[in-house]
Amino acid sequence: MPLVVVLHGCKQTARAYDRGAAWAQIAEELGFAVLYPEQRRLNNANLCFNWFRPDDSRRDAGEALSIRQMIAAMVEQHGLDPARIYVTGLSAGGAMACAMLAAYPDVFAGGAIIAGLPFGCADTMSQAIMRMRGHGGPDAHTLSAMVREASDYGGPWPIVSVWQGSADATVNPSNADAIVAQWAPLHGIDLASGTIEAVDGYPCQRWRDGAGRVVIEAYTITGMGHGTPLATLGPQGRGEPGPYMLEAAISSTRHICRFWGLLDSVAVDTAVAARADSGANAPVIPRPLRRLSRIVEGALRATGLVR
């Protein structure tokens, strides 16, 4: 199975983020495992991941190393696919997801950054606040070089999905542009080559590599503030709105899964078996999903989300 690592935002818990974004529920449906690292108040009073601190966001150090060790434990204990590991997060969690992609590009096949910031744009609290407001920061060339210098990895680089509310007053939308500009040179793409289309009523810009594969995409959720866009209504709705979890009639979770190729990640047997004793048809519980339930439950137990 693939593994998705989900990093919550400031003032959130893993449980609250999952209640909104429904990653565990969608994982159960599609057939992949989920890992929810959770920040401790001892490390950050507002429960933010310390994405801007060099000792917490570089390879083999601090919080980045802790998350990497959790991933290694999940892969080893549950036999997950090391070639299909992904990371996503909101706000500080999104910035930390970007840091994880930069520090461990050899670990991740892809990432999704929601209302986050580019790797290396700040290394102090005051700088972090300024960057969140859209002020200052390294240019695109320097930002891209920082990713190259964060490890000795030579590629291929993780694919990246970027999500941003146009009315976000907490993380300025210019940061989404900076993230795209940081990763474009790594994939060898020209920003002018992007194409734009409407997805669920919102503009989405996509960039393809030389082989024609979409390697970077950027969604602008017009009129939305700071948070993760959800689609909770109707029979296909999942999750529920809450602080920083915003109903927008578009499921970032599902679209990110589609971008990563997880919608068909596990072939699930949906055949119907005939009961020998009654002749009635009874649905077979797919074996991958039975195993998935144990994996998700074990991950939630490990983070204290369930007892």
Side-chain angles (χ1 to χ4, degrees):
M1 284 184 185
L3 172 65
V4 174
V5 182
V6 184
L7 305 176
H8 61 80
C10 296
K11 300 181 180 179
Q12 288 183 318
T13 63
R15 183 190 297 275
Y17 195 85
D18 187 64
R19 185 183 305 118
W23 272 103
Q25 183 179 6
I26 291 177
E28 187 79 32
E29 296 172 8
L30 300 181
F32 58 87
V34 177
L35 170 65
Y36 268 103
E38 185 173 74
Q39 182 60 288
R40 296 188 299 172
R41 205 169 294 278
L42 178 66
N43 297 335
N44 188 290
N46 289 319
L47 298 178
C48 308
F49 288 98
N50 292 303
W51 58 271
F52 57 88
R53 293 181 183 171
D55 287 344
D56 277 315
S57 58
R58 64 180 173 87
R59 189 179 179 95
D60 298 336
E63 293 176 9
L65 175 59
S66 180
I67 295 169
R68 174 67 184 100
Q69 290 171 333
M70 295 180 195
I71 294 169
M74 285 284 289
V75 171
E76 180 179 357
Q77 293 173 17
H78 301 293
L80 305 180
D81 186 349
R84 292 188 295 169
I85 300 175
Y86 306 88
V87 62
T88 183
L90 165 68
S91 193
M96 195 66 186
C98 199
M100 292 300 296
L101 292 173
Y104 297 101
D106 52 321
V107 171
F108 298 103
I113 302 151
I114 305 173
L117 297 96
F119 169 72
C121 68
D123 55 21
T124 66
M125 176 67 80
S126 60
Q127 286 185 356
I129 293 173
M130 290 293 288
R131 304 299 178 262
M132 290 169 63
R133 294 173 178 171
H135 302 314
D139 60 24
H141 176 77
T142 302
L143 286 173
S144 185
M146 287 179 172
V147 176
R148 293 188 186 276
E149 295 165 2
S151 71
D152 58 3
Y153 183 70
W157 297 93
I159 60 176
V160 180
S161 180
V162 181
W163 293 71
Q164 180 68 49
S166 67
D168 192 331
T170 301
V171 174
N172 189 278
S174 63
N175 285 287
D177 297 332
I179 295 169
V180 171
Q182 181 172 59
W183 287 90
L186 300 170
H187 286 285
I189 60 176
D190 180 0
L191 289 178
S193 67
T195 60
I196 301 178
E197 63 180 279
V199 178
D200 291 349
Y202 297 103
C204 174
Q205 193 165 9
R206 294 190 171 103
W207 292 267
R208 299 177 182 273
D209 62 11
R213 183 178 70 137
V214 177
V215 291
I216 300 177
E217 66 175 13
Y219 283 80
T220 299
I221 310 304
T222 50
M224 191 185 81
H226 187 64
T228 294
L230 313 176
T232 64
L233 305 177
Q236 298 300 315
R238 296 292 183 272
E240 61 182 68
Y244 311 113
M245 311 303 291
L246 308 178
E247 173 59 50
I250 182 170
S251 171
S252 56
T253 303
R254 282 202 179 275
H255 283 293
I256 290 167
C257 286
R258 180 177 291 107
F259 177 65
W260 289 341
L262 295 181
L263 289 186
D264 56 353
S265 62
V266 175
V268 178
D269 180 9
T270 58
V272 175
R275 288 181 182 171
D277 57 344
S278 64
N281 287 336
V284 175
I285 300 174
R287 185 169 300 170
L289 293 191
R290 287 201 298 267
R291 181 167 179 243
L292 172 65
S293 298
R294 294 194 296 272
I295 291 176
V296 172
E297 181 180 356
L300 295 177
R301 290 185 185 281
T303 56
L305 293 182
V306 298
R307 288 173 167 74

